[in-house]
Amino acid sequence: ALEEARQQQRALFIDFTGYTCTNCRWMEANIFALPAVHAELEKYVRLQLFTDGVGKQYEENQRYQKEKYGTIALPLYVILDSQGNKRAMFPGMTRKPEEFLRFLRTPFGNR
């Protein structure tokens, strides 16, 4: 995904999620589905990393989240620039679409 972001010169949106994460599903159904949020998300290369499954890949995803971002709490949303530098992080969920939109727009100023 980072290589794709580099090639397209777009930012990377990482969605740390879990199969059993109720708040993750709530965000997907109620915030991500909003037209304004969906439009902002389309500007990113998107990567979804599940951290609560069984097996090596899930363990690696969780280890990456903990080592790089200091938490294993879900959901966690991270924006990286096309070079892999962290631009913004949004831990947890919100019931305020404008709060999440501000997060999506903040790393790049006025577009």
Side-chain angles (χ1 to χ4, degrees):
L2 187 55
E3 183 58 34
E4 183 180 336
R6 282 187 188 119
Q7 290 175 358
Q8 296 179 13
Q9 296 201 343
R10 295 187 334 178
L12 176 64
F13 177 88
I14 304 175
D15 174 0
F16 289 98
T17 189
Y19 295 108
T20 61
C21 177
T22 305
N23 290 340
C24 301
R25 299 298 85 74
W26 192 94
M27 286 290 290
E28 292 165 4
N30 296 286
I31 300 295
F32 287 22
L34 295 171
V37 173
H38 182 76
E40 287 299 319
L41 286 170
E42 289 296 310
K43 297 175 182 178
Y44 294 93
V45 171
R46 292 176 61 186
L47 175 63
Q48 195 172 45
L49 296 177
F50 284 82
T51 63
D52 67 348
V54 176
K56 184 177 179 181
Q57 185 62 55
Y58 303 105
E59 292 169 7
E60 288 176 7
N61 291 347
Q62 189 178 74
R63 184 172 36 258
Y64 171 65
Q65 180 185 357
K66 183 177 182 183
E67 289 175 4
K68 193 75 171 174
Y69 306 108
T71 183
I72 59 169
L74 298 175
L76 176 68
Y77 307 106
V78 178
I79 296 172
L80 304 180
D81 65 23
S82 62
Q83 300 306 307
N85 302 305
K86 183 177 81 171
R87 299 296 299 264
M89 193 166 82
F90 192 97
M93 64 167 278
T94 182
R95 295 189 184 278
K96 300 175 183 174
E98 64 279 359
E99 186 176 51
F100 199 71
L101 279 167
R102 195 168 31 255
F103 157 71
L104 292 173
R105 293 173 177 152
T106 296
F108 308 102
N110 298 327
R111 293 191 221 197

